[in-house]
Amino acid sequence: MQLDRYRVPPGQRVRLSNWPTDDDGGLSKAEGEALLPDLQQRLANLQERLYAESQQALLIVLQARDAGGKDGTVKHVIGAFNPSGVQVSNFKVPTEEERAHDFLWRIHRQTPRLGMIGVFNRSQYEDVLVTRVHHLIDDQTAQRRLKHICAFESLLTDSGTRIVKFYLHISPEEQKKRLEARLEDPSKHWKFNPGDLQERAHWDAYTAVYEDVLTTSTPAAPWYVVPADRKWFRNLLVSQILVQTLEEMNPQFPAPSFNAADLRIV
Ligand code: AMP
Ligand code: MG
């Protein structure tokens, strides 16, 4: 599959309405699902090398609208990795302590150490999304924050952290279906937040601020717009992009400090 076509070119402003939400890559669901186990094995092998090498880190940013599939991606894609080498951070409404600091303070504390994979379920980008839609910050502040985010991401990449950012792109119809399903199933009620209905009413405002966010795609920290109406395709595409990213990072097992042939276990 051509992965580059899902990557946002640096320096460009995309129109999300031109990006598909329901791609299937020309595959059936059964064909797509059959490809996953091999990718999961490759992800696990690459992660073991990353952990052993401990010279680089990978930061995976997940952003989406409500019911866009962030939690499902963590479960089905990130679940392929050894939990010892992964740290998942969920960013919620900032606490009083977090609000008393700059907006990147809570983010920086959660970045992965060398050898680790960090996953941000929501991220620094919330501070230029929900806050803008609800006019908690003005446009100038938003533009300044976007610059701070780019500088912050450069700092991380300069320090050995590769960054890959996913926007899980769903249609309003698919979101409606998923929210309805949550309402119909009592075991999913805990995930239903009546506030999500108000957010849904701001669909176009979110589209506009997401289009600004996607301008922060750079070669070192690219954004991918993942067609996410089909969960199986979302899992497949995110897995493939992560395999490609980790293969480019090319982590190596460290050379042993001993000669195995010289040692005998008695
Ligand atoms: P959930 O991901 O469903 O647990 O919801 C987390 C909530 O926290 C969402 O409504 C987000 O919009 C909100 N949230 C996360 N980060 C921020 C932020 N920096 N400012 C305001 N709200 C945020
Ligand atoms: Mg939610």
Side-chain angles (χ1 to χ4, degrees):
M1 208 148 54
Q2 237 331 332
L3 303 182
D4 288 355
R5 55 191 284 238
Y6 301 103
R7 191 173 58 208
V8 177
Q12 276 188 32
R13 195 189 162 84
V14 302
R15 299 272 305 158
L16 276 175
S17 54
N18 295 335
W19 289 63
T21 58
D22 64 349
D23 255 22
D24 58 10
L27 301 167
S28 69
K29 181 178 179 188
E31 286 168 334
E33 284 177 343
L35 294 172
L36 207 54
D38 172 60
L39 289 165
Q40 288 171 326
Q41 190 56 57
R42 287 163 73 188
L43 285 173
N45 292 346
L46 285 157
Q47 185 223 357
E48 190 177 16
R49 285 172 175 268
L50 186 80
Y51 189 86
E53 180 196 65
S54 286
Q55 298 294 319
Q56 314 174 68
L58 175 63
L59 174 60
I60 301 166
V61 170
L62 296 176
Q63 283 291 157
R65 299 173 195 258
D66 295 310
K70 298 184 297 297
D71 295 339
T73 303
V74 171
K75 183 171 169 183
H76 296 289
V77 180
I78 305 305
F81 295 124
N82 181 337
S84 299
V86 182
Q87 184 191 342
V88 181
S89 307
N90 297 293
F91 293 101
K92 309 278 183 184
V93 177
T95 62
E96 192 277 327
E97 189 187 26
E98 288 168 348
R99 272 187 285 113
H101 291 82
D102 70 85
F103 78 102
L104 291 172
W105 179 74
R106 68 172 183 163
I107 308 290
H108 208 162
R109 307 171 69 176
Q110 302 298 331
T111 53
R113 56 175 293 158
L114 298 177
M116 294 289 287
I117 295 178
V119 181
F120 284 0
N121 184 340
R122 301 187 190 270
S123 66
Q124 59 271 27
Y125 290 99
E126 287 294 322
D127 290 281
V128 285
L129 288 165
V130 59
T131 47
R132 282 187 92 180
V133 168
H134 293 286
H135 304 291
L136 303 177
I137 61 170
D138 60 23
D139 279 350
Q140 268 187 338
T141 307
Q143 293 311 326
R144 278 207 308 273
R145 283 189 178 184
L146 285 164
K147 278 198 192 141
H148 288 309
I149 289 173
C150 287
F152 171 65
E153 291 181 356
S154 300
L155 169 68
L156 297 184
T157 53
D158 279 353
S159 312
T161 300
R162 179 75 175 247
I163 305 175
V164 58
K165 304 179 287 198
F166 296 104
Y167 172 58
L168 309 178
H169 188 30
I170 56 167
S171 67
E173 296 77 25
E174 180 64 22
Q175 188 194 48
K176 181 164 191 272
K177 264 199 258 171
R178 292 186 189 178
L179 291 175
E180 279 170 354
R182 284 184 186 177
L183 263 188
E184 278 158 22
D185 179 352
S187 77
K188 298 239 176 86
H189 282 178
W190 69 274
K191 264 195 132 166
F192 189 86
N193 173 3
D196 292 351
L197 301 181
Q198 280 151 34
E199 298 311 300
R200 176 173 161 76
H202 295 292
W203 189 273
D204 293 340
Y206 270 105
T207 302
V209 291
Y210 261 114
E211 286 174 355
D212 269 359
V213 156
L214 295 172
T215 63
T216 64
S217 192
T218 61
W223 273 107
Y224 287 88
V225 177
V226 175
D229 281 354
R230 297 171 210 258
K231 295 175 183 174
W232 65 266
F233 183 74
R234 171 201 77 203
N235 293 339
L236 179 66
L237 185 59
V238 172
S239 301
Q240 286 179 326
I241 292 166
L242 290 179
V243 166
Q244 187 185 59
T245 304
L246 281 159
E247 279 178 348
E248 282 170 18
M249 291 169 75
N250 194 23
Q252 299 295 320
F253 289 119
S257 57
F258 51 85
N259 186 349
D262 294 344
L263 299 176
R264 181 179 300 262
I265 317 276
V266 290

